[in-house]
Amino acid sequence: MSEGIDVGRVGELLSRHLASLGLPLALADETTRETHRMQVETAGAVGGALPIFLAAADAVCREAIRLPITIDLQPDEGGLLGVRVAGVAGVPFSVVMLCLVEAVERAKGSDALVVNDLSKVASLARQHVMQAQS
């Protein structure tokens, strides 16, 4: 991976942004249909939910400026998703953060941000890219 962005800084600023929204974060277990509360620190952690947030931001970035956010994921047995973010590159730090904020804005509800909804944001953004290419 080329010289990248400080992943810890990305996660820290994402956590601060999520805290400033004043909305609870939730993660829905699709198997049990239970919803679990998530702390903002977990959302921004490299071994937490940051990979989900960055995947949605990548889709938004591709939609907006037709460039990918390169996300280096490494296995992490202790991580929330079994992976951790080892690096981020491809676009400037400011673009990554703007795309993260936009992905969060698109996913948030009136009373909570359900982290699973970021996959819907990513899917819709990818559809927009495909439509624009055809």
Side-chain angles (χ1 to χ4, degrees):
M1 176 172 283
S2 62
E3 184 175 328
I5 294 166
D6 182 345
V7 178
R9 187 169 172 220
V10 169
E12 179 184 331
L13 289 177
L14 173 62
S15 294
R16 285 185 191 178
H17 175 66
L18 293 171
S20 75
L21 295 176
L23 292 172
L25 299 177
L27 184 64
D29 184 328
E30 295 174 4
T31 303
T32 65
R33 301 211 191 286
E34 294 179 25
T35 302
H36 304 278
R37 184 136 185 186
M38 179 183 289
Q39 301 299 314
V40 293
E41 296 81 11
T42 302
V46 296
L50 186 57
I52 297 169
F53 282 89
L54 284 171
D58 172 56
V60 168
C61 190
R62 290 171 190 258
E63 176 189 33
I65 63 171
R66 307 289 188 255
L67 292 173
I69 297 173
T70 306
I71 307 163
D72 180 11
L73 297 176
Q74 300 292 321
D76 183 356
E77 290 184 23
L80 179 67
L81 306 170
V83 294
R84 66 178 169 76
V85 179
V88 175
V91 296
F93 175 82
S94 58
V95 173
V96 172
M97 293 310 303
L98 286 169
C99 291
L100 275 169
V101 168
E102 177 62 18
V104 167
E105 188 63 28
R106 292 181 189 186
K108 74 179 186 178
S110 60
D111 57 349
L113 171 61
V114 179
V115 175
N116 306 62
D117 290 345
L118 289 163
S119 65
K120 295 173 188 170
V121 169
S123 179
L124 188 57
R126 286 186 193 107
Q127 286 177 11
H128 291 160
V129 170
M130 301 266 282
Q131 289 170 351
Q133 291 174 343
S134 56

